[in-house]
C-alpha cells in the first residue's frame, strides 16, 4: 500500500513549511550545480557557430528560459484548475508563487531574444512575428493574473478569479508553441526534436540539455521560496508561525 | 416582470426576455449607446487632425486606427456590462434561477453589443469618410467591424465578469483583456488592410469568423464562473 498521508498533510501550512525548509537547500544546491556546469561548458568550451560566431551562446539562457516560461504557465494553469475544482488552498499558493517566476522568465526570454536579434536579424523586435508577439502576450497574461489576484486583497474570490484567468489564458500556450510552424516567422523553427533527428550539433546540444533541467530546478527553488513567503503571510497571526519565526531568527 | 411560479418557460423565451429587458434599460439611458459611438468618432477625428495634411499616411494607417479605437470604445463600455445588475442584486437572482445561465449570459452580451458594437458598425460610412477610406470597400470594412466588435464584446466580457465586484475594476479590466485581444487585433487589422488594398479576403475573413464563433461558444463558460465568484465575494 502506498503511503497517502502526505496528501492530507498538504492542507497543513505548518507541515508544508517544514517540508519546504527541508527540501529547499537540496533543490537550490542542485540547481546551482547544474547551472554552473552547463553555463561554463556552454559559454567557454563549446566551439563557436560557423555563421553566428559567439553570438549563438545566448541560447544557453534564451532557450531554457523560454521552455521553462511555457512549462511554468502549464503548471500554474493546472494549479488553477485544482484550486477551482477541489478548492485546495495549496493549489492557490502554488499559482500565486509561480506567476512572478513565470513573468520574469518570459521577460528574460524576450530580452535575450532581442539582444540576439540585433546582430543576427538586424533588429531588436519585429511586430509581425507570431512567436515574439505570442510570448509578449504570455508576459502580459502573467502580469494580469498577478494584478487580478492581488486586487481582491487576498480574499478567496481573488484566488478563484486568478485561477479562472489562468485557465482562459491557456488557449495562448499551444499558439506560442506552434507559432513557428504555422506562420511564416523570422524566428527559426524548433531545432530540438523528439521524433526525428535534431538539427543542432551535438557539442552545442549537450550543455543545453543540462541548462534546461538547471533552469527547471532553479525555478522550482524560486517557487518554493515564494511559497514560504505565502505561508508566512497567510498564517502571520497564528501562534505556531510566531514561534517558528522566533526559532528561525 | 411578474410571472407565476408554475408557468413553464422555454429557454428561448428566457433568452428574449433578458435581451429585451436589457435593451430597454440601455435605451432609457441614452449615454450607454451614444457615448461609445461619440468616443470612437472623436478619437478618429483627433487622429486625422494629428496626421495633418498627410492624407496618404492616414489612409495607410486607417486599419490599425479603426481597430484600436473600436477596441478602446468597447473596452471602456464593458465596465458597465454587469455593474448595475451586480449592484441591485438582479445578477444574483439570475444565477440562482433555474434557467440556463449560459443563455442569460449570451443574451446580456448580445444586448450590450446591440448598443455598443452595432452603432459603431452603422457609423462605418462616417468613419471611412473621416479617414479617407474609399466607399467602394464599405461593405467589406463594415463586415470587418461587425465581426470584430462581436469578438471584442465576448472576450472582454470575461474580464468584466471577473472584476465586477471590485470598486475600481476598470483599469484591471483593460489589463486582463488586452492580451486576450491580441489575436483578434492581428487578424482584424490584416483583414482591413486586405479589404482596403483590394486583395483576396478569404484567409483573414475565415480567421475572423473562426475567432468570433470560438468566442461566442467558449467565453460564456468563463464568464459564468467569473460571475459566480463575483457574487460570492
Amino acid at each position: 500500500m502506498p503511503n497517502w498521508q502526505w496528501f492530507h498533510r498538504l492542507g497543513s501550512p505548518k507541515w508544508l513549511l517544514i517540508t519546504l525548509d527541508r527540501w529547499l537547500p537540496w533543490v537550490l544546491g542542485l540547481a546551482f550545480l547544474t547551472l554552473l556546469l552547463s553555463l561554463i561548458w556552454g559559454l567557454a568550451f563549446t566551439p563557436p557557430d560557423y555563421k553566428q560566431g559567439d553570438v549563438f551562446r545566448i541560447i544557453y539562457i534564451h532557450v531554457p528560459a523560454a521552455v521553462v516560461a511555457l512549462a511554468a504557465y502549464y503548471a500554474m494553469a493546472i494549479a488553477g484548475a485544482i484550486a477551482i475544482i477541489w478548492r485546495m488552498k495549496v493549489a492557490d499558493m502554488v499559482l500565486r508563487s509561480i506567476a512572478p517566476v513565470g513573468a520574469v522568465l518570459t521577460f528574460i526570454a524576450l530580452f535575450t531574444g532581442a539582444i540576439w536579434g540585433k546582430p543576427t536579424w538586424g533588429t531588436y523586435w519585429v511586430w509581425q512575428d507570431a512567436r515574439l508577439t505570442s510570448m509578449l502576450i504570455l508576459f502580459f497574461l502573467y502580469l494580469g493574473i498577478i494584478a487580478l489576484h492581488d486586487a481582491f486583497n487576498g480574499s478567496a474570490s481573488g484566488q478563484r478569479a486568478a485561477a479562472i484567468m489562468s485557465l482562459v489564458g491557456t488557449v495562448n500556450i499551444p499558439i506560442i508553441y506552434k507559432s513557428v510552424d504555422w506562420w511564416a516567422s523570422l524566428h527559426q523553427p524548433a531545432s530540438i526534436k523528439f521524433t526525428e533527428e535534431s538539427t543542432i550539433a551535438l557539442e552545442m546540444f549537450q550543455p543545453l540539455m543540462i541548462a534546461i533541467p538547471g533552469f527547471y530546478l532553479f525555478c522550482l527553488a524560486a517557487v518554493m521560496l515564494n511559497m514560504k513567503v505565502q505561508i508566512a503571510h497567510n498564517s502571520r497571526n497564528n501562534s505556531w508561525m510566531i514561534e517558528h519565526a522566533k526559532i528561525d531568527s | 416582470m411578474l410571472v407565476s411560479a408554475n408557468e413553464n418557460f422555454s429557454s428561448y423565451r428566457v433568452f428574449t426576455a433578458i435581451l429585451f429587458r436589457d435593451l430597454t434599460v440601455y435605451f432609457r439611458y441614452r449615454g450607454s449607446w451614444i457615448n461609445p459611438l461619440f468616443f470612437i468618432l472623436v478619437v478618429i477625428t483627433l487622429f486625422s487632425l494629428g496626421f495633418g495634411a498627410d492624407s496618404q499616411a492616414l489612409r495607410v494607417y486607417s486599419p490599425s486606427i479603426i481597430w484600436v479605437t473600436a477596441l478602446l470604445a468597447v473596452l471602456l463600455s464593458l465596465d458597465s456590462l454587469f455593474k448595475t445588475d451586480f449592484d441591485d442584486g438582479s445578477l444574483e437572482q439570475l444565477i440562482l434561477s433555474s434557467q440556463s445561465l449560459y443563455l442569460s449570459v449570451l443574451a446580456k452580451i448580445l444586448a450590450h453589443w446591440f448598443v455598443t458594437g452595432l452603432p459603431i458598425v452603422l457609423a462605418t460610412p462616417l468613419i471611412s469618410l473621416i479617414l479617407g477610406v474609399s466607399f467602394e470597400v464599405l461593405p467589406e470594412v463594415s463586415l470587418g467591424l461587425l465581426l470584430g466588435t462581436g469578438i471584442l464584446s465576448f472576450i472582454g466580457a470575461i474580464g468584466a465578469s471577473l472584476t465586477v465586484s471590485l470598486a475600481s475594476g476598470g483599469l484591471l479590466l483593460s489589463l486582463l483583456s488586452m492580451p486576450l485581444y491580441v489575436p483578434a487585433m492581428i487578424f482584424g487589422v490584416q483583414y482591413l488592410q486586405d479589404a482596403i488594398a483590394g486583395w483576396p479576403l478569404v484567409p483573414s475573413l475565415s480567421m475572423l469568423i473562426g475567432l468570433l464563433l470560438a468566442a461566442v461558444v467558449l467565453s460564456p463558460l468563463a464568464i459564468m464562473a467569473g460571475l459566480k465568484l463575483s457574487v460570492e465575494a
Side-chain angles (χ1 to χ4, degrees), chain A residues 137 144 147-148 152 157 160 164-165, chain B residues 162 165 176 179 182 225 229 232-233:
Chain A
I137 301 173
L148 185 63
F152 286 81
S157 308
R160 287 185 59 207
I164 291 169
M165 192 63 205
Chain B
L162 289 170
S165 65
L176 290 177
V182 173
L229 85 89
E232 280 173 30

Side-chain angles (χ1 to χ4, degrees), chain A residues 113-136:
Chain A
I115 294 174
W116 178 85
K118 186 65 186 171
T120 329
W121 294 345
T123 174
Y124 287 111
W125 188 264
V126 201
W127 272 112
Q128 284 74 30
D129 192 281
R131 171 64 67 88
L132 273 60
T133 316
S134 50
M135 269 314 257
L136 191 66

Side-chain angles (χ1 to χ4, degrees), chain B residues 13-34:
Chain B
R13 283 191 59 194
V14 173
F15 181 83
T16 47
I18 292 172
L19 185 67
F20 285 117
R21 177 255 185 202
D22 273 21
L23 283 177
T24 314
V25 172
Y26 284 131
F27 276 108
R28 288 198 179 145
Y29 174 59
R30 210 176 289 125
S32 60
W33 58 276
I34 285 185

Side-chain angles (χ1 to χ4, degrees), chain A residues 222-240:
Chain A
V223 170
M224 286 165 84
L225 276 168
N226 272 346
M227 281 190 70
K228 282 181 66 178
V229 176
Q230 296 274 315
I231 295 170
H233 182 79
N234 289 345
S235 350
R236 63 190 177 280
N237 296 325
N238 294 11
S239 53
W240 70 264

Side-chain angles (χ1 to χ4, degrees), chain B residues 104-120:
Chain B
S104 316
V105 166
L106 275 185
K108 288 194 79 65
I109 299 172
L110 195 62
H112 187 261
W113 179 81
F114 269 124
V115 294
T116 53
L118 195 58
I120 295 175

